[in-house]
């Protein structure tokens, strides 16, 4: 029996039971939940009802999971257009938690959870932690940001449900993070991979040998990362580094995670059903073919989501895993079908940057976003042209304007960006679609 079926005392953990169901039984559960969820969504969410009516699909047409392709897609813009509660399917008195992520026009994407939804979420995160080998009694230092972002509270609740001692360190303050790891006896850590690499590189400055720490498991997500980054982290510590997948629109972290094989992420597909579609046509693709990941919530009552287009490009691995889990896996996600980029766990669209720029009258519509990686941390620099009548101002006046532009952008995207004012006509022009993002990162 693989070691990660069991808890610290060698006993099977009941939360893992769903991970090892025969595929026939799993599909029966998926079908039952999809039928119920579609009825609930159709009856209580006007957008879903309108979309289904337009396609000529009634709830009674959905008889099993095999009928899922009949349903309409949901896009991120749907959450923005129905802000804040337009996709909720229950009365607000049943909502026990709200979270939000950044929207493309300054308004956040809002998601809600009933008490049952919170239990589903916590259990899904717990199942991922069990895959990694996290157990009751582990000291998990959670360095994801707390607040409206789902990462911090999502990992926190799942780890507490498992019985870990959670250290809610939140993000930032490198010296303090390293001190806590050493003094508190941290055995598991969760954060963005780029930040953990930063911790490794900074540790010698504070007299901390990462290999002397009891740290044995790392839980990393919220941004793309590579096998090379995993190798670096594992080489410089005594831990194993695991990927976790999630997105706020579906639940948050815990949609899927790697097992001990570190070969693809098992999707918790009794709660989050995965499909792969052609990103251009929306046509369903068979397992094994690369395309856009689409996810349907099967257990979420507060905000049921039909066929959500994640824009993440991957493929489904339908071969048995050596760990024994029957949950299908997806390959690691390294790119997207849209222009979104992820900086320190925050989703950012060029259109958000543009909104911030256009709120400053001195700016022109000509700008470029430069992404770089310095000491394993991602940075964003916005190069922007201003009107010629302003460019000849004094150095102090230009610096004041630069700070004004920077504040306008940060107010929308919620993360620090650098702003560089450049000469008129300095930014390259294109005859076709403007290339707004120059990604110099090596991932």
């Amino acid at each position: 029996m693989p070691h990660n079926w069991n808890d610290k005392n060698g006993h099977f953990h009941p939360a893992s039971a769903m991970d090892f169901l025969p595929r026939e039984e799993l599909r029966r559960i998926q079908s039952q939940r999809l039928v119920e969820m579609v009825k609930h969504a159709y009856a209580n969410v006007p957008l879903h009802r309108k979309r289904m009516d337009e396609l000529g699909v009634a709830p009674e047409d959905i008889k099993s999971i095999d009928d899922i392709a009949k349903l309409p897609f949901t896009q991120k813009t749907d959450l923005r257009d129905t802000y804040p509660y337009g996709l909720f399917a229950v009365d607000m008195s049943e909502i026990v938690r709200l979270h939000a992520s950044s929207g493309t026009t300054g308004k956040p994407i809002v998601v809600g959870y009933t008490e049952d939804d919170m239990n589903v979420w916590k259990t899904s995160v717990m199942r991922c932690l069990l895959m990694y080998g996290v157990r009751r009694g582990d000291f998990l230092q959670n360095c994801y940001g707390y607040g409206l972002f789902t990462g911090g509270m999502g990992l926190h609740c799942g780890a507490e449900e498992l019985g870990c001692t959670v250290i809610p360190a939140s993000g930032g303050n490198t010296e303090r993070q390293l001190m806590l790891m050493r003094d508190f006896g941290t055995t598991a850590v969760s954060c963005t991979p780029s930040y953990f690499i930063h911790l490794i590189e900074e540790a010698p400055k504070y007299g901390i040998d990462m290999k002397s720490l009891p740290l044995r498991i790392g839980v990393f997500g919220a941004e793309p990362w590579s096998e090379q980054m995993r190798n670096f982290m594992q080489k410089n510590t005594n831990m194993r580094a695991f990927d976790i997948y999630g997105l706020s629109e579906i639940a948050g972290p815990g949609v899927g995670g790697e097992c001990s094989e570190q070969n693809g992420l098992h999707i918790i597909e009794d709660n989050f059903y995965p499909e792969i579609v052609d990103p251009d046509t929306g046509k369903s693709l068979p397992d094994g073919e690369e395309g856009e990941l689409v996810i349907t919530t099967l257990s979420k009552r507060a905000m049921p989501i039909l066929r959500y287009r994640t824009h993440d490009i991957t493929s489904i691995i339908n071969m048995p895993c050596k760990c024994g889990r029957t949950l299908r896996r997806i390959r690691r996600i390294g790119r997207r079908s849209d222009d979104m980029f992820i900086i320190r766990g925050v989703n950012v669209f060029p259109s958000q940057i543009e909104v911030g720029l256009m709120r400053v009258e001195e700016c022109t519509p000509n700008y470029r976003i430069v992404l770089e990686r310095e000491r394993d941390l991602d940075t964003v620099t916005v190069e922007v042209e201003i009107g010629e009548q302003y460019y000849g101002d004094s150095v102090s006046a230009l610096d004041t304007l630069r700070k004004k532009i920077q504040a306008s952008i940060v107010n929308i995207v919620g993360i620090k960006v650098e702003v560089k004012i450049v000469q008129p006509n300095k930014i390259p022009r294109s005859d076709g679609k403007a290339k707004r993002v120059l990604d110099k990162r090596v991932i």
Side-chain angles (χ1 to χ4, degrees):
M1 181 177 289
H3 77 276
N4 60 349
W5 286 30
N6 305 325
D7 65 17
K8 248 181 177 177
N9 299 315
H11 301 123
F12 182 82
H13 198 293
S16 295
M18 295 292 289
D19 298 359
F20 301 97
L21 286 179
R23 288 295 305 177
E24 298 77 13
E25 176 65 10
L26 180 58
R27 288 187 65 80
R28 185 193 68 77
I29 292 171
Q30 290 170 333
S31 295
Q32 178 183 350
R33 290 182 176 178
L34 178 67
V35 169
E36 294 174 356
M37 196 276 297
V38 168
K39 290 178 181 177
H40 177 60
Y42 186 88
N44 296 288
V45 183
L47 178 74
H48 292 322
R49 182 164 59 249
K50 178 175 180 289
R51 294 266 174 87
M52 288 178 63
D53 288 346
E54 288 172 348
L55 289 177
V57 179
E60 52 267 25
D61 296 328
I62 308 301
K63 296 179 172 60
S64 76
I65 200 69
D66 295 326
D67 296 321
I68 196 166
K70 297 177 181 178
L71 295 168
F73 291 115
T74 306
Q75 302 271 10
K76 191 183 187 95
T77 52
D78 295 328
L79 281 81
R80 183 188 70 200
D81 295 341
T82 57
Y83 172 89
Y85 307 134
L87 291 186
F88 284 17
V90 299
D91 188 82
M92 289 302 297
S93 63
E94 295 187 48
I95 302 296
V96 299
R97 175 82 68 81
L98 291 173
H99 277 286
S101 64
S102 59
T104 56
T105 59
K107 287 187 176 181
I109 301 300
V110 180
V111 292
Y113 308 78
T114 66
E115 185 175 354
D116 286 343
D117 294 339
M118 287 301 302
N119 289 331
V120 168
W121 188 17
K122 287 187 289 188
T123 304
S124 297
V125 172
M126 179 168 62
R127 287 162 64 180
C128 289
L129 293 174
L130 286 166
M131 290 184 201
Y132 312 141
V134 180
R135 297 293 176 263
R136 173 179 291 276
D138 269 316
F139 286 70
L140 186 141
Q141 185 166 326
N142 187 17
C143 308
Y144 283 115
Y146 282 67
L148 289 176
F149 172 56
T150 56
M153 291 299 295
L155 259 295
H156 184 117
C157 292
E160 279 192 342
E161 187 77 5
L162 179 56
C164 297
T165 300
V166 181
I167 306 167
S170 195
N173 200 333
T174 296
E175 182 179 4
R176 181 169 172 268
Q177 297 282 7
L178 291 166
M179 179 196 73
L180 293 176
M181 285 183 186
R182 179 192 62 200
D183 297 350
F184 285 15
T186 300
T187 57
V189 63
S190 52
C191 61
T192 62
S194 60
Y195 184 64
F196 189 76
I197 289 175
H198 178 67
L199 290 175
I200 291 174
E201 294 182 337
E202 291 294 301
K205 294 181 181 179
Y206 304 104
I208 294 177
D209 177 7
M210 295 295 282
K211 285 199 170 185
S212 71
L213 302 178
L215 189 63
R216 61 186 185 86
I217 294 172
V219 181
F220 303 112
E223 67 185 17
W225 58 296
S226 65
E227 201 63 26
Q228 289 73 25
M229 293 172 73
R230 191 207 304 269
N231 293 338
F232 178 86
M233 289 188 279
Q234 294 186 160
K235 179 182 177 181
N236 289 279
T237 64
N238 291 321
M239 72 172 195
R240 298 190 75 198
F242 295 92
D243 203 351
I244 190 167
Y245 179 71
L247 55 167
S248 297
E249 298 89 328
I250 298 301
V255 173
E258 290 182 308
C259 65
S260 58
E261 297 299 313
Q262 295 179 317
N263 183 25
L265 292 93
H266 290 277
I267 299 296
I268 310 296
E269 57 175 313
D270 49 300
N271 293 326
F272 316 108
Y273 187 79
E275 301 174 80
I276 300 294
V277 304
D278 184 303
D280 296 321
T281 66
K283 180 181 177 182
S284 297
L285 298 175
D287 290 355
E289 287 197 27
E290 185 178 80
E292 180 182 347
L293 178 64
V294 169
I295 298 177
T296 297
T297 61
L298 298 180
S299 307
K300 194 171 183 184
R301 290 195 56 78
M303 198 175 112
I305 297 292
L306 304 177
R307 306 189 77 201
Y308 183 77
R309 299 194 64 159
T310 68
H311 294 289
D312 290 326
I313 301 298
T314 184
S315 61
I316 290 177
I317 306 170
N318 203 15
M319 298 175 62
C321 184
K322 292 180 182 178
C323 77
R325 287 177 175 81
T326 54
L327 301 171
R328 288 178 297 169
R329 291 167 287 156
I330 60 170
R331 300 192 187 279
R332 171 178 279 161
I333 293 164
R335 62 190 180 91
R336 293 176 54 81
S337 63
D338 62 5
D339 58 357
M340 188 189 86
F341 52 91
I342 303 174
I343 300 294
R344 298 186 289 280
V346 178
N347 298 343
V348 182
F349 288 85
S351 55
Q352 290 175 292
I353 303 285
E354 185 169 323
V355 169
L357 291 173
M358 293 302 98
R359 288 180 178 177
V360 180
E361 62 179 358
E362 292 91 342
C363 293
T364 75
N366 300 311
Y367 67 94
R368 182 170 66 172
I369 303 162
V370 181
L371 308 179
E372 296 178 284
R373 179 158 287 169
E374 298 177 2
R375 299 171 67 193
D376 297 303
L377 289 177
D378 292 337
T379 64
V380 185
T381 301
V382 180
E383 298 176 347
V384 59
E385 296 178 10
I386 59 174
E388 291 192 33
Q389 67 271 35
Y390 306 111
Y391 193 75
D393 289 346
S394 67
V395 173
S396 61
L398 287 177
D399 189 56
T400 299
L401 176 57
R402 182 189 65 80
K403 291 177 180 177
K404 177 182 176 182
I405 297 169
Q406 183 182 48
S408 181
I409 295 172
V410 171
N411 186 53
I412 292 177
V413 301
I415 60 170
K416 181 182 178 182
V417 300
E418 295 299 327
V419 170
K420 181 180 179 181
I421 296 175
V422 300
Q423 297 175 352
N425 301 310
K426 179 73 173 179
I427 294 173
R429 306 305 200 253
S430 172
D431 292 332
K433 183 178 179 181
K435 185 173 177 58
R436 296 298 192 190
V437 181
L438 177 59
D439 195 341
K440 294 183 177 181
R441 297 173 296 177
V442 178
I443 297 177

